[in-house]
Amino acid sequence: MTALGLAAASSVQAHLVEDFGVRRGAPAHISLSTGFNGFAGAGIKKIQVDGVQMDAFCIDPFTMALRSSPGYKFVPLTKAPEAPFTLSASGATEISDLWAMFYNPGMKENKAAGLQLAIWEIVGGNDFSVIGKDYGASIMLAALRSYSGPGAGLIALTGPGQDYVVLTPPGQGPEGNPTPTPTPSPIHTHTPTPTPTSTPGPTRPPGPTPTPPQGPTPTPPPHNVPDSGSTFSLFAFAILGLLAINKIGYLVPVLTRVQQRR
C-alpha cells in the first residue's frame, strides 16, 4: 500500500530521500579528478523515499551524500547525475544491463562492492579510478560485451545530494512523464460474412433426348442364391434321384418278363 501511495504522488511533488549508508558492501580505495583520494563505502545503499525503503546504488561519486533531503525527484538515468557527469544513453543502458546481470538483494558484500565500482567506472570515465582491489568490477564490465538480454527497469533519483539509481516503483515514471492512462480500444462492430451464392452448373444444349440402344433384356439374378452348404445338399439329392430312376428302369423289364411267363 505504501508503494502504491508513492506511485500516486504528483509528478511535480518533491520527494524526501533519507540515506542510511551502505547496507551491503565493502570499503574501496578510489581516486577522483576533483581531488578526492581515499576510501569510500561501495555497495548497496539503504535509502527511504517518502518512508518507502529501497535498495539503491550511488551514480554520483563526485557529490557528498546528505542524511536527509526533501528536494528529490524521479528522472530517467540520462538526466542524472548533474553535468558534467550526466549519463549518456549508452551509459544508462550499461548500468541497466549490469543490474540485470549481477544485482540480487542478498548478494555477497564483495560482489555488491564490485557492482558499485563498475557503475562508478561508467559514470566517471577517465575522471574516476580504482586503486587496488576492485572486487571484480573489471570482470563485470568485460561481461557487458557479450550480454544480449534485457536490461533492468531502472529510474534515477536526483536532488541536492548524491544521485541514486533504483528499480522503478510500480506505476512510477519519471517526473513530468506520469504513467499514461490507456486509451480505450474502439468497439468493432461485427459484420456478418455474406453467404456465397452458388453458381449454376453447365446446362445441356437444346436437342433431342438420346434414346438408349435396344437389345435383349438381361435376366435378373435370382433373389435367393444358396450358399456353399445348400449347394452341397442339393447336389446330394440330385445323385439320389438319379440312382432311384436307374433302379426303376432296371425293374420294369423284369416285371414284363414275369407277366409274359404267366
Side-chain angles (χ1 to χ4, degrees), residues 5 8 23 32 45 56 64 69 80 82 118 122 124 138 142 151 155 159 167 184 197 213 219-220 227 230 242-243 252:
R23 176 180 69 83
L32 305 175
K45 301 202 78 173
M64 292 293 294
S69 175
E82 291 83 2
I122 294 172
S138 57
I155 197 169
L167 285 170
T197 305
T219 303
D227 59 10
S230 300
L242 290 175
L243 292 176
V252 169

Side-chain angles (χ1 to χ4, degrees), residues 169-198:
Q172 176 66 56
E175 303 298 340
N177 296 284
T179 304
T181 303
T183 304
S185 302
I187 300 176
H188 298 282
T189 304
H190 176 70
T191 303
T193 304
T195 304
T197 305
S198 58

Side-chain angles (χ1 to χ4, degrees), residues 102-198:
F102 300 109
Y103 169 75
N104 186 304
M107 62 197 306
K108 294 182 178 180
E109 285 80 2
N110 286 359
K111 192 171 183 180
L115 181 52
Q116 176 66 89
L117 292 175
I119 292 173
W120 280 342
E121 291 269 12
I122 294 172
V123 175
N126 295 330
D127 296 298
F128 174 89
S129 60
V130 180
I131 301 173
K133 190 174 183 179
D134 70 353
Y135 300 100
S138 57
I139 297 175
M140 294 180 182
L141 291 170
L144 281 174
R145 293 194 292 268
S146 59
Y147 182 71
S148 59
L154 304 178
I155 197 169
L157 278 163
T158 186
Q162 282 185 351
D163 288 357
Y164 308 94
V165 58
V166 297
L167 285 170
T168 305
Q172 176 66 56
E175 303 298 340
N177 296 284
T179 304
T181 303
T183 304
S185 302
I187 300 176
H188 298 282
T189 304
H190 176 70
T191 303
T193 304
T195 304
T197 305
S198 58

